[in-house]
Amino acid sequence: MTQIFVGITAALWASTACASTVHASGPVAADTAVFPAQPAPILEREREDEIIYFVLPDRFANGDPSNDRGGLKGGPLQHGFDPTHKGFYHGGDLKGLTARLDYIQGMGVTAIWFAPIFKNKPVQGKPGEESSGYHGYWVTDFTQVDPHFGTNAEFKAFVDAAHARGMKVYMDIITNHTADVIDYVEGEATGYTYRSKGAYPYSRRGGPDGAPINEGFAGDDNADPANWAKLTDPTFAYTPMVPEAERNVKVPAWLNDVTLYHNRGNSHWVGESSVYGDFSGLDDLATENPRVVSGMIDIFGQWIDDYGIDGFRIDTAKHVNPEFWQAFVPSMLTRARAKGIDHFHIFGEIAYQEPTATLAAQVMTQSGLPYALDMGFAVAAQMVASGKSSPRLMAEFLQQDAIYPGGAKTALGLPTFLGNHDFGRFAMFVRDMSGSEEPDTLLARVKLGHAMMFLLRGVPTVYYGDEQGFISDGNDQLAREDMFPSRVDAYNDNTLVGSRVTTAQDNFDTAHPLYRLIADLSAARTASPALRRGLTDVRAFAEDAPGLLAAERHDPETGQRVLVLFNTSASALSQAVEVSYRTTGVAPLLGQCPAALAAPGSVRVTLPAFGFAACILETDD
């Protein structure tokens, strides 16, 4: 794969690094910050070196109004376009995203992850509850870009443009389900309740007392294709039915075979139903079936072959059986290496909302998924930056890094985030958990959270619009605001953080304090191998109230050590902190750092309210 780096201009990076920019941590002055002109070339960067920007294309920029209706006729319930409705297409597309690459790269972003762009069912839902596939997770054609977003040629143009700037491209993919096309004859009467494998075995129609079916099928834990060839009757739990107009709507064509789905009713997110149930009615693929495994490998391997993309975020990963991932992941890595992509980044969505690593580590170990979105970090950052919990929560969370497969080094490649399109935005959580809407305090706390994401371990992942102070009113549709002037009342009545405008106006302000902060944090991270690749030693934390969190990041390869500091309290603090006894001096990287050691193995740190800093610990190594 040939990828030419035309990086951020030296002038932009110099201004990012050397301007006397004041934020919650204090000034970043010209004589205290020496940053490289640009990140390393794209093929040299490890997964943990990246800074990711996550975007919903429909809500970002409208580069071609002619595709707003996806080439479909009729009204919003047919074509899915209604920019006044939070649950319908608003017009953003690949051309718009491509045209805004300068804006994205100006924050120091090195990788773009975007919600799925595959062709979706335009509208689905019960009468009066309809919404559209603007988010991309209701796929009917896995081989084609949704016409609302553009064409496959425009996708190639986007990938090529990003690569030319040295930016990686991560696709959001789904193997767990397709759009809701399959219905059940008995569904309305039963409320689509999940029907278990014990109560409705594959061997009988409609339960143990039903007629024998699928003679010789030895269960779904037998991956032999000859075994699955005996599963010919899908009526063991429900009787699947497909509307005539949609019998051949899915692409590739094998996806139209109803025997390749679980057909057991809706998941209730616990136990067996979590893997075998339909995700809110979406057709749940039988990913135990070798035909599904090989089909999905072919589909997504082709996107690597054709476009040279750099990674996959995998939707609903924990709802797929582990054996699927054990086959899929190695196949994708092999396909990528054949294209010269040695650092292909695969991370799964293992959804939960607790400040712990346990579930993610468990699923990664069982499935062979190399990385996961760091859900636990998001919750810990929300609780600690808001002041709801003491820094002890984050300290103890970071100390769980040892339980990941591969240990603490694996944690370096976990994409960390603060909020997202499913749970809601970080600023909302901070406001609600802190109980305060005071503008300056809210901005300071939001900045503090971003500093944690960039300076602690993991791959920082900025959710689009957070850099403009978007706050959201809730989760899901309420957290998917437009960057271009919005016509959604539920978005436009929000008071944005650090800004006097609303979402009714264009929000690509490169002078916004959060945009500038993210650029500063990106520059510091790019400059420091310890911030990108350093393991973590927690050095100090306030136990029972807001206060200090201190951690030492150490990169074994270069020997660099950086002390990262955070004050989660509303008062300034001064405190002695242990550092490595190898330390001979202290140099500032970001924020307010001590001028020298207080004694061998100790520094005295001083931070303003909600302040943060990153200090290089000089050694003779």
Side-chain angles (χ1 to χ4, degrees), residues 214-344:
N214 301 319
E215 182 178 357
F217 180 65
D220 59 25
D221 58 351
N222 183 339
D224 186 344
N227 177 54
W228 284 90
K230 298 172 183 176
L231 185 67
T232 58
D233 190 331
T235 62
F236 40 82
Y238 283 97
T239 306
M241 61 178 184
V242 177
E244 187 63 36
E246 294 184 305
R247 285 194 180 276
N248 297 300
V249 73
K250 297 180 184 179
V251 180
W254 61 266
L255 288 163
N256 295 299
D257 181 353
V258 296
T259 68
L260 299 179
Y261 296 82
H262 285 134
N263 300 313
R264 290 188 172 276
N266 283 336
S267 174
H268 53 271
W269 320 119
V270 176
E272 178 188 304
S273 83
S274 180
V275 174
Y276 288 84
D278 294 341
F279 196 105
S280 300
L282 298 169
D283 300 348
D284 199 69
L285 280 156
T287 47
E288 307 83 11
N289 190 320
R291 180 68 187 92
V292 175
V293 177
S294 63
M296 285 296 172
I297 287 173
D298 289 344
I299 286 170
F300 294 114
Q302 198 65 49
W303 286 92
I304 298 173
D305 292 349
D306 292 347
Y307 301 99
I309 55 174
D310 305 286
F312 289 148
R313 177 267 190 184
I314 301 174
D315 184 62
T316 53
K318 76 174 182 179
H319 301 295
V320 175
N321 59 301
E323 296 81 5
F324 177 90
W325 300 125
Q326 291 163 13
F328 183 86
V329 169
S331 295
M332 294 302 99
L333 295 176
T334 298
R335 206 78 166 246
R337 282 192 293 268
K339 289 284 289 184
I341 310 167
D342 294 332
H343 305 305
F344 196 82

Side-chain angles (χ1 to χ4, degrees), residues 40 44 79 98 111 135 176 185 191-192 253 301 335 368 383 410 443 462 500 514 518 524 534 541 594:
E44 296 178 13
H79 54 61
T98 306
H135 43 69
N176 177 67
V185 171
Y192 297 89
R335 206 78 166 246
M383 297 178 72
T410 296
L443 176 59
V462 177
R500 294 182 180 179
L514 289 170
I518 290 169
F541 56 87

